[in-house]
Amino acid sequence: MEGRAVACHKKTAADLGAWLCFEDEAGQGLRPPKGRTWGRRGHTPVVRVTAAGTKRVSMAALICTKSGHRSRMIYRIHLDRGPAKGRRKGFTETDYARLLDAGHQQLGGPIVLVWDNLNTHVSRTMRQLVDARLWLTVYQLPPYAPEFNPVEGIWSHLKRPLANLTKHSLDQLTALVKTRLKRMQYRPGLIDGLIAKTGLDFQPP
């Protein structure tokens, strides 16, 4: 069922002459993800980190595909420097709209967007922002179907090398995340591999 739904979105994109774009978001704090390393037998390696507070880098990315064009990845980041009453930690509807506007400008054509059912994605404010963009058509992924979203692979590829790396400030972490994401943008083979891993057929019908 889920595969047929995504295939329907692909057909819509082809009919509109649009880019088919998948979106997802993730976050990384100062505590690095767990990973394996070498150490002396009987001595567990210890990595000291600065993990106090809630500082984190939020990331949102698009993977975009269109027949006859090189696959593209477009991203934006958002910094959360600590608690603030009444302030959203991650991306707001306006932040998502800016990402989509950047995608539209860089791709130079209409977009069929596929993303999950995050509350910010389906809010009334987000629907109004979508309705105001005539070049944008939006579909929701079926619930519990992350395997159909190639952007999920970006976060796995990004976070794996961060294991056991210590960053003592949010600025250091942000610089590292930006560097790794930018490198991925210039690896179309990687992006195509993430798309292929979904098992979906993106050839024109």
Side-chain angles (χ1 to χ4, degrees):
M1 178 68 73
E2 290 86 352
R4 289 198 296 272
V6 177
C8 177
H9 307 338
K10 177 196 71 173
K11 187 176 187 302
T12 301
D15 291 343
L16 294 174
W19 287 81
L20 178 61
C21 297
F22 291 83
E23 189 278 343
D24 194 54
E25 54 285 311
Q28 178 61 53
L30 292 175
R31 183 190 299 272
K34 293 181 180 179
R36 295 180 180 274
T37 187
W38 295 98
R40 291 175 56 196
R41 184 184 296 274
H43 294 77
T44 302
V46 176
V47 179
R48 300 189 181 279
V49 299
T50 304
T54 58
K55 297 179 181 180
R56 63 190 285 110
V57 179
S58 295
M59 305 156 281
L62 299 169
I63 280 185
C64 310
T65 180
K66 184 179 180 181
S67 179
H69 293 73
R70 175 175 61 86
S71 299
R72 303 280 295 276
M73 170 188 154
I74 300 166
Y75 72 90
R76 290 291 184 271
I77 66 169
H78 173 83
L79 304 186
D80 179 17
R81 295 188 176 276
K85 189 175 181 180
R87 178 170 58 83
R88 186 179 178 86
K89 294 181 179 180
F91 281 78
T92 66
E93 289 89 346
T94 301
D95 293 324
Y96 287 121
R98 288 172 180 163
L99 171 64
L100 297 172
D101 287 342
H104 179 234
Q105 183 178 18
Q106 293 182 40
L107 298 172
I111 290 174
V112 171
L113 174 68
V114 182
W115 59 8
D116 60 24
N117 294 279
L118 184 71
N119 59 350
T120 319
H121 293 169
V122 298
S123 70
R124 185 167 74 171
T125 299
M126 194 72 245
R127 289 198 300 270
Q128 291 172 343
L129 290 169
V130 169
D131 291 343
R133 289 158 171 79
L134 301 181
W135 44 265
L136 179 62
T137 304
V138 175
Y139 292 95
Q140 258 68 44
L141 277 166
Y144 312 112
E147 68 273 14
F148 291 121
N149 192 339
V151 186
E152 294 277 355
I154 290 178
W155 313 135
S156 176
H157 195 81
L158 171 70
K159 292 188 177 185
R160 194 179 304 117
L162 295 180
N164 300 321
L165 292 180
T166 58
K167 292 300 170 186
H168 299 290
S169 73
L170 188 63
D171 291 334
Q172 287 179 318
L173 175 62
T174 301
L176 182 59
V177 166
K178 282 183 175 180
T179 297
R180 296 194 183 280
L181 288 174
K182 195 169 188 67
R183 287 176 181 170
M184 283 188 241
Q185 284 185 309
Y186 291 97
R187 294 180 60 189
L190 170 64
I191 298 173
D192 288 338
L194 296 177
I195 294 174
K197 192 175 180 181
T198 65
L200 299 172
D201 178 12
F202 289 96
Q203 296 302 313

